[in-house]
Each structure stands twice: as structure tokens, then as C-alpha cells.
Amino acid sequence: EYSALQNPLFQPGLDYWLETKRTLLQPHETMPAEMASQLESSLLNCPDSLDADTPKLYYNSLSLPHPTSIFFPNETIRLVSNDPVDLAKNHQKQNDIYSRTSMGRIMSRFDLDTLFFIFYHYQGTYEQFLAARELTIRGWQFNKINRCWFYKEVEKLPPGMEQSEEISWRYFDYQKSWLARRCGAEFVYREEEFERI
Amino acid sequence: TNQEKMFLVFTEWVKLLQRVPENDIKVTVFIRQMMDKGVINSTDNMIQFTKAAIELSVGSFKESDPTSEVFIATDAFSKLIVKLLVLQDFTALSRSEYLRLMISVITMVFSEDQGMADNSFNERPYFRLISSLLCQWEDVSGHNFIKIQDQQFRNELIEFTPEFYNIIASFLHAFQPIAYPGFSFAWITLISHRMFLPKMLSLPGKVGWSKLILLFTDLLKFMAQYTKKNDVPDAVSVVYKGALRVFLAVANDAPEFLVENHYELLNNLPHVYMQLRNVILSAIPKRMVLPNPYDPQLSIGDVESCQHVPNVFYDPVQDLKNLKKPVDNYLRIPSASLLRVISTGIFKADQQKDSGIGYDSVSVDTKLINAIVLHVGIEAALEKDKTTATAIFNTKSSYYALLASMLSEGTTEVRFHVVQAIVNQLRYPNAHTLWFNYVLKNLFLSEEWGPSFAEIQEIIIRTLLERVVTNKPHCWGIIVTFTELLKSSECSIMTLPFVKDVPEVEHIIKHL
Amino acid sequence: LGIDLTSVLHSLGIQGNQQGRQRVLDTFQSPWVETSRSEVEPRFFVPE
């Protein structure tokens, strides 16, 4: 009498679904041939890590892969490596879930130029996230207002001077010169302007 | 036809998502038009559209060149589901009902696909749909849905999130291997998915734990059902390997889940999976440092953490059935008549096949025995907090007496399962481990057994031994207890008949 | 009797020492080593 069972849209799926309930209530004592064959088939088709990867439907034009030899796969293969991580590192981020990934490790070898390029041109991506993480590990901070990365340079002064250290700030000019420039004397650091990463 | 129109709309959606970023205004407009033009404005239309979308997704997978992008339609469909949950105003129908409806329709198509005799069923597009749904939900829900500008919507979505995961969990429960063997490997991959399992483990208030236990139980039941002593199908061996890796990962990331749920997990774990049992029982709360169990100076009573009562997520009292009253009454005032009720009440109506080590069937309700033993331990720990330690570290206490009496009155089979249940509580240093260590030592050395003495001692030694001869891990409480018995001057294990008479056993005991 | 779990733990990225224990479920590729050849993208968050 249930309306669902009257609805033709649920046929014939509902019948098959009911069959599985029967099996749940009374599982077969020993595995029948049909079940064994289905299980084998499931094993053969077992989803792998590529199947489980995050879906990407739209590709940012700049992030399309460069033309490569036809003998190379189109898919980027991020190979799993379980090499131990050096745990004697300073930054807490170096012990997070990304530290052991191949991308996280590769980023640690990129120079600043590359990191800034990824950050500004791969908006909204995992790669941008990892570049931001790596920049943070290296001491850079992101200003939410002008969208620039800043770096605080602390220079130890020789003993006997009035101050023990001299602080100067640099920022990366992504809009014009694509260079790190010194901040002018008028620069004031306001913590609330900076993203807490 | 209506169905053809649905196919067209969905195809347009798939194309759109490949041409613009997903947060482009055109995407929102497309969905708005779907609603305005009546594509999904009624339940029947919703059902028909969902059916069209899943059929196209699966069909497109099956027809695609395997080296190309085979999941484009599937990924677009999961994105649509997320968008529909996030963008719509839910008045007539709740988000939960809406999601359940869509997944129910998917279930019908899935059931039909796998039920058809032509063997063209492939689990991968269905796996991908749920996998992508989980990934895309994670993406939109980041930092408490901070990307959603409307505060009210944000609050609704935050509130809905545990429901989202529990609905997925409910459907995974329906797709379990015993019901859909053709989906088994995809299923195991889904319950351990990086966007599902850690989330379910860490939902505030442990609200994901019950469903997770249900899913792990489904897995263990499947393994139990098809693990026969002399014949384990290769595919089931592979299932076991995967299950072991998943449990090891859980023990690493969230040991407290195994610690607090050991009772339910062990109720469904086949006896032959000894190492997996040890993995579950060896789980230690994070940051706890274990005293060396092999330290000859170690005295278990002096270990500070043995004063702490472990949390038990599911209260076994719920499984006592009609023995709850007799057990609780006995703990208050022991009596022979109550004991008789309990001793007879633990038997099943019929024998049941079981692939145990050394036995093929059980006539006792092992789950009930496990419940009784753990319940007594929990009550004993509570009693100690209310009164004093001497109330429970006392062979005259009702707590000890109940377990001892079940052994003395019981058949060999009863004794075996009671001892197994006791030894299951010898885990990391905690109040239960401490009390059951006391119980087991006294049971072993008691002079009250009479002719049953040898059998009970043998069962105790066998139970401890089988858990230490396996490859690691070994439970701290078992090593400590076994070491104490081996060193005991009151009874030299080496002189016991079942050790002396079996050279292999004598050899192992000597070695230990 | 089970097996020596050292290589299984290594395949999961679980290191022997208790100190600096890292989570593995967030980057879990698959229950089986054979289907875990490539990494999977973990969750991450990018501010607007």
C-alpha cells in the first residue's frame, strides 16, 4: 500500500533493493557462486586512489599542463612516498598533514619566485594553498588589504649600539615590478590586516 | 518526452561546469532556471531528474574510453547535489529529506544496475559519485561555511552538517557487503575515505560514532560470515588486509574511538582474527606513556593511570536483556537462585556455527556473556569510587563472586567465553584493567574450584597465551597479568598437567 | 598468528615512535597498498 511501491519511477529498482534486505536478514551460510563472482568482480574493479581523488571540472587556463611527449601520461601522478619526515623542524606547519605529501615536499624546494607565481596565478587551488603554507613556513605574512606578502627582516646590530636589532619590512610587489621591495618608513604593521594562516 | 528533457538539462549542466568556474554567477543562474522552469519543482520531477542524472552519469562512464576522463558527468552530478543543498530555500521539505530523497533514487538505480543478470555492473561510478560528493561538501563547508554570505543559511548549513554525514552513513549501511557483494571493495574504500572517516570520528559530541560502529560492524559481520577455518576465499583475505590497515590507521589517528568502543567491535570480530583483536584492544589514549610491562619491579596497583575509569561509549547494560534485573540484584545481594537464572539465561535456543580456534559451534550467547562481564566491571569501578577499594578487591564481594560462580557452575564452553570476556578487559593501564587483573589472578589461584581447578587454569592460560604468541601488538594488561602468573610462587605453571603433557606448550611457557 | 606489522605501518606512513605522531586518515589513499600508488588531494581551505 505504500505510495513509494506504487510509483513507477521506483521500478524495478525497488524490487532488487528488497531482495538485498532478504539477504541481510538471512545471510547465506556459505558463499553461493553468484555472490563469489560478484565479490571477485568488485575486487577487479576496486576503486583506486585516482578514483578517490578530488574532482576537477573546470581548468584555469594557466594551469593546463605544458605539452609533453605523448609517452607521458596526461594525469599528474603524485606518487606516494613514505620516506620518514625529519621531525626536528621548527615550524608547527612542518608537522601537519601536508608535510608528508609529495606536493608539500616539492614546495619546500621551490624558490620564492615560483611560490609567488603559484600563489597569484592558481587562485582557489590546492597548489595556491600549499604555496601560501610554504611562504608562511618561511616567515612571510599575507596582507588581506593590499593582497601582498610581507617579510619582517630582523638585523642584529653590533653590541654597544642603542638597539640590539634593526627591523625592516619587505613586501613582494606582484602587480608591477614582480620583485621584493623595501617598505617605506611610513609602514606600520597592523596585525589585524594580516591573514592568520 | 519528459525524460529526454531531463537528459538534455543535465547534459547542459555538465557542459556548463566545464566551461566556467563553479562559483561563476552563470552556475547559480542555471540552477535558478531549473527551479523556475519546473525541472525540479515537484517531488516526482525531482525523482525523475535524479534518475536521469545518475543513469547518464553511469552510462557515460561505461561508454567512455577508459583512458579519458570517465567521471565528468558523475562529478558534475555530485556538484549539482551540493549546489542544490546549499542554494535552495528549504521550507516545505528539509535538507535532510531532500538529500535522502536523492540518495534513495540513486539507490534504486544502483540496485537495479547490480541486480541485473548481465554482469555489466561496475561499482566505480557509484563510488565516484559518493567520493566526489564528500569532497565537494568538504570544499563548500570549509571553516564553517564561511564562503556562504547569508548568515542564516550559514547557520542552517552548520546545523545540517552532522546530518549530512549521518545520512551518507545510513546509505552506506544499506550498501553493506552482505547485501551488495558486487560493491564490497568500493564500500570499504568509502567507509575509510579521507573525507568521511576522519570527519565521522571528529564530529563534535561524537555524534558520528554510532553510525561508524554500525559500519565497522557491517564489515566485521561480513568477514565473520565468510571466514571458514579451512577455506577463506581469496577475496575475503583481501577484505581482511584492507580492514586491518584501516583499523591500524584509526588506532594511530583516533585511538580513543577504539578504546571506548572495544566492546561493540569485539562482539562482531571473528575469534580467529587474533591480531586484529589485539590491534583494537591495544589502542592507547593519545599522549599516554605506558610503563614497561616487562619491568620486573612493576606493580600494577602502583600505576597511577589504573585509578582512572575508562570511558565506555555504548553501555553494555543495554545488551543484558532479561538478565539485567537478576545481575543487578545479584550484585546487591548474591543468591543461589539468582545465579541459577543467570547461568541458564546465557544459553541460546539453538547451537550456532562458529569458526573458533578449537571449536565449531556455540550454544551460549557470547554477546550476552560479554555484556555481563563488562557490566560487572563497570559497576565494580563505580562501587570503588562510591565506597572503597576493598569493596571490590575482595573475593567475597558480589562482583567477584558472580564471575567466579559463573565459572564454577558453568560448562567448559561457558568457562571459556567468560574467561575470554574477562581477558578482553586487560588493556592499557586503567581501573578496569586493574580490577580484572585482580579477578583473573584470584580465579587462577583460587583453591575453591575442586575438580574443576585444572580446567579453569588451563582455559585461563590458553586465553592469555593465544594473545601473546601472535605477532605484535600485545596488550599491556595481558603481558602484566601473564607475567605475574608466570612468576607466581604459589603455583608453578610449568608443573601444571596441560603444560607438562604438551611439549609445544611447555616449550613456549619455558621461553616466556 | 598474524604478521609483522612493520611494513604495513610503513605503508600507512605511520612511524614507529610515539613522538610527533602524524595523522594518516586525512591523506588516506585506499585500504590497500596496491590501489594507493598516487596521492590524493586532502582537504584544504583558501580564503576568498
Side-chain angles (χ1 to χ4, degrees):
Chain A
E1 297 93 55
Y2 286 108
S3 53
L5 288 154
Q6 310 303 324
N7 192 334
L9 288 170
F10 282 141
Q11 297 302 328
L14 199 54
D15 291 333
Y16 288 109
W17 178 82
L18 279 168
E19 263 304 308
T20 69
K21 297 303 171 194
R22 196 187 312 240
T23 322
L24 276 173
L25 284 170
Q26 260 186 318
H28 303 284
E29 258 309 309
T30 42
M31 204 182 284
E34 193 192 341
M35 182 181 182
S37 145
Q38 287 170 327
L39 190 60
E40 288 286 331
S41 169
S42 173
L43 175 53
L44 278 169
N45 287 322
C46 186
D48 63 9
S49 44
L50 289 170
D51 285 357
D53 207 359
T54 307
K56 301 245 186 294
L57 287 156
Y58 171 78
Y59 286 89
N60 203 337
S61 55
L62 201 59
S63 64
L64 284 173
H66 292 286
T68 50
S69 162
I70 53 162
F71 298 107
F72 292 164
N74 279 323
E75 200 72 57
T76 37
I77 308 275
R78 304 189 299 274
L79 289 171
V80 171
S81 151
N82 282 316
D83 291 342
V85 178
D86 176 12
L87 292 170
K89 288 197 171 151
N90 302 330
H91 204 288
Q92 80 181 83
K93 286 210 185 315
Q94 293 173 296
N95 230 351
D96 61 13
I97 63 172
Y98 311 97
S99 60
R100 286 182 308 117
T101 62
S102 60
M103 289 290 284
R105 287 179 186 189
I106 285 169
M107 292 271 175
S108 70
R109 301 208 206 107
F110 283 166
D111 64 14
L112 286 173
D113 234 359
T114 312
L115 293 174
F116 287 126
F117 181 83
I118 295 169
F119 180 82
Y120 285 109
H121 292 283
Y122 285 67
Q123 300 252 25
T125 63
Y126 178 51
E127 290 77 12
Q128 182 193 35
F129 166 82
L130 285 179
R133 171 184 171 272
E134 182 59 32
L135 284 166
T136 306
I137 288 172
R138 295 191 200 184
W140 289 77
Q141 298 182 62
F142 183 70
N143 187 300
K144 293 186 275 195
I145 317 290
N146 57 34
R147 319 278 167 101
C148 290
W149 285 89
F150 284 75
Y151 185 80
K152 177 173 160 184
E153 199 148 0
V154 180
E155 196 189 320
K156 289 258 183 280
L157 295 171
M161 312 258 313
E162 216 176 87
Q163 292 160 312
S164 59
E165 55 187 33
E166 190 179 302
I167 294 175
S168 60
W169 285 86
R170 279 191 275 146
Y171 74 99
F172 186 80
D173 179 12
Y174 74 96
Q175 286 175 305
K176 296 200 187 111
S177 61
W178 196 259
L179 283 173
R181 315 189 84 121
R182 274 189 169 250
C183 297
E186 72 283 1
F187 172 75
V188 177
Y189 175 78
R190 288 188 194 89
E191 199 182 328
E192 64 276 10
E193 285 179 8
F194 287 82
E195 190 75 60
R196 271 191 314 192
I197 296 184
Chain B
T1 65
N2 217 26
Q3 193 191 41
E4 285 167 341
K5 288 182 192 169
M6 303 281 187
F7 281 144
L8 272 172
V9 172
F10 181 68
T11 308
E12 284 305 302
W13 168 258
V14 177
K15 287 192 210 161
L16 177 65
L17 282 188
Q18 293 177 274
R19 288 187 171 71
V20 302
E22 54 132 288
N23 52 4
D24 190 295
I25 189 69
K26 296 180 201 62
V27 170
T28 312
V29 170
F30 187 98
I31 291 181
R32 176 62 159 285
Q33 288 184 348
M34 278 177 75
M35 299 194 286
D36 291 348
K37 308 262 181 201
V39 178
I40 46 171
N41 65 337
S42 72
T43 312
D44 270 8
N45 274 351
M46 192 62 227
I47 293 170
Q48 192 162 33
F49 182 80
T50 304
K51 216 173 174 213
I54 182 69
E55 283 170 357
L56 261 184
S57 299
V58 174
S60 125
F61 164 83
K62 286 183 180 172
E63 281 153 33
S64 291
D65 170 6
T67 61
S68 71
E69 302 282 347
V70 299
F71 293 126
I72 293 177
T74 319
D75 292 346
F77 183 29
S78 57
K79 175 60 72 176
L80 180 62
I81 297 174
V82 171
K83 288 281 181 191
L84 288 172
L85 287 172
V86 166
L87 291 175
Q88 289 186 98
D89 225 331
F90 285 91
T91 44
L93 207 60
S94 72
R95 271 189 184 81
S96 296
E97 288 166 320
Y98 196 82
L99 179 59
R100 275 185 206 279
L101 177 61
M102 294 191 84
I103 302 192
S104 297
V105 175
I106 293 165
T107 303
M108 294 302 116
V109 173
F110 171 79
S111 299
E112 181 186 343
D113 194 355
Q114 70 82 45
M116 306 257 276
D118 65 357
N119 283 337
S120 69
F121 178 73
N122 191 316
E123 61 197 330
R124 288 174 66 212
Y126 299 98
F127 167 83
R128 178 72 174 200
L129 181 67
I130 302 186
S131 170
S132 293
L133 182 60
L134 290 164
C135 291
Q136 286 156 345
W137 185 259
E138 172 62 50
D139 182 46
V140 78
S141 63
H143 283 228
N144 280 328
F145 296 90
I146 200 168
K147 292 180 182 168
I148 308 289
Q149 275 154 354
D150 184 295
Q151 187 61 42
Q152 193 202 332
F153 265 71
R154 272 188 73 192
N155 292 338
E156 282 176 17
L157 289 165
I158 292 170
E159 208 179 296
F160 170 67
T161 289
E163 257 301 289
F164 174 85
Y165 288 102
N166 277 318
I167 290 171
I168 305 268
S170 295
F171 280 92
L172 286 175
H173 175 55
F175 294 158
Q176 63 180 285
I178 288 183
Y180 293 88
F183 193 65
S184 299
F185 287 88
W187 187 87
I188 301 169
T189 312
L190 281 171
I191 66 169
S192 59
H193 198 282
R194 70 193 182 287
M195 303 289 188
F196 178 74
L197 182 52
K199 207 66 190 211
M200 290 290 279
L201 285 168
S202 64
L203 283 173
K206 301 174 182 172
V207 297
W209 280 22
S210 297
K211 283 274 190 310
L212 266 189
I213 287 294
L214 195 59
L215 293 172
F216 280 121
T217 299
D218 294 341
L219 176 60
L220 293 171
K221 277 188 182 156
F222 175 77
M223 284 159 57
Q225 189 71 24
Y226 298 112
T227 299
K228 306 296 177 207
K229 264 190 285 243
N230 301 321
D231 168 38
V232 180
D234 287 341
V236 177
S237 283
V238 180
V239 167
Y240 168 74
K241 286 207 184 95
L244 179 62
R245 266 177 111 248
V246 173
F247 274 106
L248 285 169
V250 174
N252 180 76
D253 285 23
E256 61 279 3
F257 177 75
L258 298 180
V259 164
E260 297 188 34
N261 291 289
H262 75 301
Y263 163 75
E264 285 206 272
L265 289 167
L266 255 60
N267 270 339
N268 294 287
L269 181 58
H271 189 224
V272 291
Y273 289 128
M274 196 58 67
Q275 187 172 40
L276 183 52
R277 168 175 297 105
N278 277 343
V279 167
I280 293 169
L281 294 178
S282 302
I284 305 163
K286 274 184 189 161
R287 288 179 283 275
M288 178 178 277
V289 178
L290 293 183
N292 179 6
Y294 299 102
D295 178 359
Q297 313 296 333
L298 179 72
S299 166
I300 188 174
D302 292 340
V303 179
E304 202 269 327
S305 28
C306 282
Q307 301 307 313
H308 299 284
V309 180
N311 207 31
V312 181
F313 183 67
Y314 174 87
D315 194 340
V317 78
Q318 297 169 80
D319 292 341
L320 290 178
K321 301 190 248 195
N322 51 354
L323 288 189
K324 179 182 186 310
K325 270 213 166 73
V327 167
D328 282 341
N329 286 341
Y330 186 98
L331 291 177
R332 262 198 302 277
I333 303 170
S335 84
S337 60
L338 283 171
L339 180 63
R340 234 187 335 272
V341 169
I342 296 167
S343 296
T344 47
I346 55 177
F347 282 89
K348 278 204 221 289
D350 321 292
Q351 288 244 337
Q352 209 184 335
K353 285 209 191 130
D354 195 300
S355 287
I357 301 172
Y359 58 94
D360 292 317
S361 64
V362 281
S363 53
V364 292
D365 188 341
T366 51
K367 185 166 159 178
L368 183 53
I369 291 178
N370 291 339
I372 293 172
V373 169
L374 181 55
H375 176 65
V376 170
I378 291 172
E379 292 298 303
L382 285 174
E383 176 70 37
K384 173 168 164 271
D385 277 347
K386 267 197 309 224
T387 58
T388 65
T390 48
I392 64 163
F393 290 95
N394 177 350
T395 56
K396 300 268 184 287
S397 75
S398 58
Y399 305 94
Y400 179 86
L402 177 54
L403 299 180
S405 305
M406 284 177 79
L407 285 187
S408 76
E409 302 297 301
T411 60
T412 310
E413 186 185 13
V414 168
R415 289 169 176 172
F416 176 77
H417 290 291
V418 170
V419 168
Q420 288 281 336
I422 290 172
V423 170
N424 284 346
Q425 313 313 320
L426 297 175
R427 302 187 290 158
Y428 68 95
N430 65 52
H432 291 176
T433 302
L434 179 62
W435 188 70
F436 283 104
N437 162 277
Y438 169 85
V439 166
L440 201 68
K441 276 191 312 221
N442 280 279
L443 292 174
F444 187 78
L445 298 169
S446 167
E447 307 203 316
E448 312 212 347
W449 299 125
S452 306
F453 200 18
E455 181 175 281
I456 289 172
Q457 286 189 314
E458 182 179 341
I459 289 174
I460 290 174
I461 294 297
R462 173 249 165 89
T463 304
L464 292 171
L465 194 60
E466 70 186 3
R467 292 162 193 238
V468 301
V469 297
T470 52
N471 276 277
K472 288 184 179 176
H474 301 141
C475 296
W476 185 89
I478 302 226
I479 298 172
V480 167
T481 307
F482 206 2
T483 307
E484 285 176 314
L485 293 182
L486 285 168
K487 284 188 335 192
S488 164
S489 51
E490 289 170 60
C491 164
S492 173
I493 295 182
M494 294 297 290
T495 62
L496 295 173
F498 57 87
V499 174
K500 269 199 337 234
D501 296 347
V502 185
E504 294 94 334
V505 176
E506 188 183 31
H507 182 74
I508 295 173
I509 302 280
K510 211 171 181 177
H511 181 70
L512 287 171
Chain C
L1 289 173
I3 54 166
D4 183 340
L5 293 178
T6 317
S7 60
V8 181
L9 290 169
H10 179 76
S11 79
L12 283 165
I14 295 173
Q15 285 158 301
N17 55 335
Q18 279 259 65
Q19 300 286 76
R21 171 149 75 170
Q22 290 184 314
R23 293 205 307 268
V24 300
L25 285 173
D26 299 290
T27 49
F28 195 63
Q29 299 98 18
S30 157
W32 300 275
V33 175
E34 295 83 353
T35 41
S36 296
R37 298 270 184 241
S38 66
E39 287 182 352
V40 284
E41 187 178 288
R43 63 182 157 79
F44 66 95
F45 177 75
V46 174
E48 272 316 312

